[in-house]
Amino acid sequence: MRRVPLWLTFVFLYVPIVVVVVMSFNAGDSPFNWSGFSLKWYGELAADEQIRTGLGNTLIVAAGSTALSTVLGTLLAVGLARHTRSKLLDAIATLPVILPDIVLAIGLLAFYALVQLTLGLYSVLLAHAVFGTAAVAAVVRTRLATTDPSLEEASRDLGANGFTTFWRITLPSLAPGVVAGALLAFTLSIDEFVIAFFTAGPQSPTLPIVIYSMVRFGVTPEINALATVLLAVTFTAILAVQRLTRLAGTR
Amino acid sequence: MTLLSISDVRRRFGDVTALDGVSLDIREGEFFALLGPSGCGKTTLLRILAGFETLDEGAVTLAGDDLTRVPAHQRPINLMFQSYALFPHLTVAGNIAYGLQRERRPKTEIKQRVDEVLERVGLTHAAKRRPQQLSGGQRQRVALARAIVKRPRLLLLDEPLSALDRKVRAEMQLWLKQLQHEVGITFVVVTHDQEEAMSMADRIAVLNQGAVEQVADPVTLYGSPATHFVADFIGANNFFPGTAVAGGLASTEFGSLPARPGAAVPGYPAILAVRPEQVSLSGGPLAGRVLDVSFYGGLSRITVSLSPASSAVSPSSAVPPSPAAPPSLTAPLSSATPPSSTAPLSSATPPSSTAPPPSATPPSSTAPLSPATPPSSTAPLSSATPPSSTAPPSLAASSLLNDKSEMSLSPGGTITVHQHGAPRVAPGDAVELGWAAEDAVLVEP
């Protein structure tokens, strides 16, 4: 009996998600009324040109911004660990992850207008790389805190120059943190709506924007199916992040 | 032949002087130890040699070449880190091969040299394992193998045994020394553990507060320490402050004590250091009472509370029940009597009355409390008398046994004696103790 509040909390958290997942297998047209099991909405989803474009755009943005964020974020974390003891700089570097999306979105839009950058897919990619970099830096930073600083000295002592040491010793020992950071940046980018909505060109909507425009004309089970797919992808990525950061911690 | 020459190296970190003019010459093929308490600068010196730290002033040359301009990764010097710093993502063999790969050696040569060194450290079976899967002693051997496989001119070892438990440590000490002999590389080991340094090194430099106190082989360091710090840091010791005189030390409380002159100059303040195992309980210039006896199997440790050399005090401390303050109040009376009248301690007094040469008297007059003096104002102890008139008698009487700081540098006015085998005295026994002049040494304060 004492566990009832716990279960109720879980129900509160996951009922909406369970409803979406269950209804994505609905045979009927209604997103609410169950009328039998079917995978037909997944078929519709695969055939939907609009969604395919959106998904393609989203994957390009996510992959591109993740690649950019991973490189910049890792270098930022290593630089912060190596060359400063300022807690303020540390905080500023990782701030964009928790900054309200709308603030970042307006700021980026104003900035793009200022430098007269025409909005397109690359503007979303760059925008996502902003918070992605911060996210990677934050994850790699915690990993760096647990590595033995004498490893790099040992490498130099054994005859490796700065670059070789970074490539052969620093990076491999940070690898779990770097991968976890990259997965986090990827997940954050895939379902990011507000910033994409502000910075995407009209010809290049990402998947969340496509879904938003579809929902305006009513929710169909197709959306449920799409949500379920997204859920599966995100959930897998988060599990991988957790596992990798735990690995990073136990070493 | 000198391999590494360190001359007048200075290094400051803000307000802290880590190295204050250190000069050392380390010979080719030597097992050299830098010994000192934490914060003495030994680690800074090691890091300067490895190239991870810069120096403010001074010079470091390796076989005549200026080392300070060479970056760490180009120095023919390797360091075994205190944490071992094994690369966790490489196997044991990968860790060892890393340094050779950086030299762009051919693959076959690398494999051959790695196998060779693995065999030397007895880890051939563990070549494919990761460092995390090894025990502490095995990790240490991998770290060592990784350093010696490069065949450096000089191998630096930072607290090599500190991470090991006691039993493994003793094994490793012996093994390290053998290995150094076999490979013929010059070893410089940094340690705060005097036992570790003494058992392994050919020569030891004792560092204190950024300066070298003494450089010598272990036996000399133990038998003839140059300074009070060295005498205190290495092994157990008993100390008596006083003035250096011919043939020993003039102590204000204990009269004349025999010792080798060591580095001390007659007429100047000095400290007499005598090892517990050199003190004999079968007669000598000092009298005391056994406070405590501990038996450690092959060795007995005896703590003796000392009575000052004057005849005045001796009888009072010889009173069995409590040699504390009350009986000592009676001391002044008996003090007037000549030393010879107090039978058990007569042996202690003659040297004190005869020994003090003229040089001893001026410094003794500066001693604020010479406990023996008030009663002995009329006594024949010439050395102690001049200041006696100024010392308040009551204070002096209590200070005999209570005011330890004035009596001796030995803790609590006591002396520690080591005897082989089972103890031959019991607590409460009155004893006479002394030592041969050649077994005690005068050191700089």
Side-chain angles (χ1 to χ4, degrees), chain A residues 148 150-162 164-165 168-169 172-173 251, chain B residues 47 51-52 72-73 77-79 81 83 85-89 98-99 102 132 146 150:
Chain A
D148 181 359
S150 58
L151 286 184
E152 291 179 11
E153 281 183 352
S155 168
R156 277 163 65 204
D157 185 69
L158 292 167
N161 58 24
T164 311
T165 296
R168 295 268 191 166
I169 303 300
S173 59
R251 278 255 184 99
Chain B
R47 290 177 61 80
F52 300 133
H73 69 273
I77 293 177
N78 285 111
L79 169 61
F81 289 78
S83 66
L86 299 177
F87 306 131
H89 59 286
Y98 187 83
R102 301 287 78 77
Q132 303 91 302
R146 189 175 71 173
K150 299 254 300 174

Side-chain angles (χ1 to χ4, degrees), chain B residues 26-272:
Chain B
I26 294 167
R27 299 176 198 139
E28 182 100 58
E30 190 170 35
F31 199 130
F32 195 88
L34 294 169
L35 175 65
S38 59
C40 72
K42 57 189 192 303
T43 303
T44 306
L45 185 59
L46 190 81
R47 290 177 61 80
I48 285 175
L49 297 181
F52 300 133
E53 198 64 73
T54 55
L55 43 79
D56 296 335
E57 279 176 58
V60 180
T61 60
L62 184 77
D65 301 325
D66 184 5
L67 203 59
T68 47
R69 290 160 193 276
V70 184
H73 69 273
Q74 284 166 4
R75 297 190 181 191
I77 293 177
N78 285 111
L79 169 61
M80 199 188 100
F81 289 78
Q82 185 174 8
S83 66
Y84 306 146
L86 299 177
F87 306 131
H89 59 286
L90 298 178
T91 61
V92 167
N95 265 281
I96 297 172
Y98 187 83
L100 297 174
Q101 286 160 357
R102 301 287 78 77
E103 291 175 10
R104 307 202 175 279
R105 301 267 171 193
K107 276 216 171 83
T108 49
E109 187 195 332
I110 292 178
K111 176 151 189 351
Q112 187 211 327
R113 278 171 71 172
V114 170
D115 288 348
E116 199 182 287
V117 79
L118 272 173
E119 198 182 315
R120 186 180 287 286
V121 300
L123 283 173
T124 307
H125 62 283
K128 294 273 188 294
R129 289 199 211 149
R130 301 267 166 162
Q132 303 91 302
Q133 299 166 282
L134 303 179
S135 70
Q138 287 175 323
R139 279 184 214 185
Q140 195 227 26
R141 284 186 280 164
V142 175
L144 199 67
R146 189 175 71 173
I148 61 171
V149 78
K150 299 254 300 174
R151 294 173 190 161
R153 296 294 301 271
L154 184 64
L155 180 66
L156 310 171
L157 301 99
D158 189 2
E159 304 274 0
L161 306 174
S162 64
L164 304 176
D165 57 51
R166 213 178 158 73
K167 202 180 154 209
V168 184
R169 195 183 298 182
E171 239 166 65
M172 279 296 179
Q173 268 174 15
L174 193 71
W175 182 77
L176 261 183
K177 202 169 159 65
Q178 277 174 357
L179 182 86
Q180 193 263 343
H181 193 72
E182 283 167 27
V183 296
I185 297 171
T186 309
F187 276 30
V188 174
V189 55
V190 153
T191 180
H192 67 274
D193 183 342
Q194 45 113 354
E195 204 176 292
E196 200 172 302
M198 298 283 279
S199 63
M200 293 193 296
D202 299 322
R203 285 198 307 150
I204 299 170
V206 180
L207 269 74
N208 182 31
Q209 298 184 337
V212 177
E213 293 266 338
Q214 189 176 7
V215 186
D217 63 276
V219 174
T220 308
L221 217 50
Y222 188 81
S224 304
T227 64
H228 176 228
F229 178 83
V230 174
D232 193 23
F233 191 72
I234 293 176
N237 230 330
N238 295 296
F239 296 107
F240 297 88
T243 309
V245 294
L249 180 99
S251 158
T252 48
E253 305 108 82
F254 304 108
S256 180
L257 301 170
R260 281 179 290 135
V265 181
Y268 283 88
I271 291 172
L272 182 148

Side-chain angles (χ1 to χ4, degrees), chain B residues 296-315:
Chain B
Y296 294 93
L299 180 92
S300 298
R301 205 183 114 130
I302 298 150
T303 311
V304 178
S305 164
L306 288 178
S307 320
S310 121
S311 57
V313 225
S314 323

Side-chain angles (χ1 to χ4, degrees), chain A residues 56 79 114 121 127 188 210:
Chain A
L114 187 74
L121 209 53
L188 288 176
V210 172

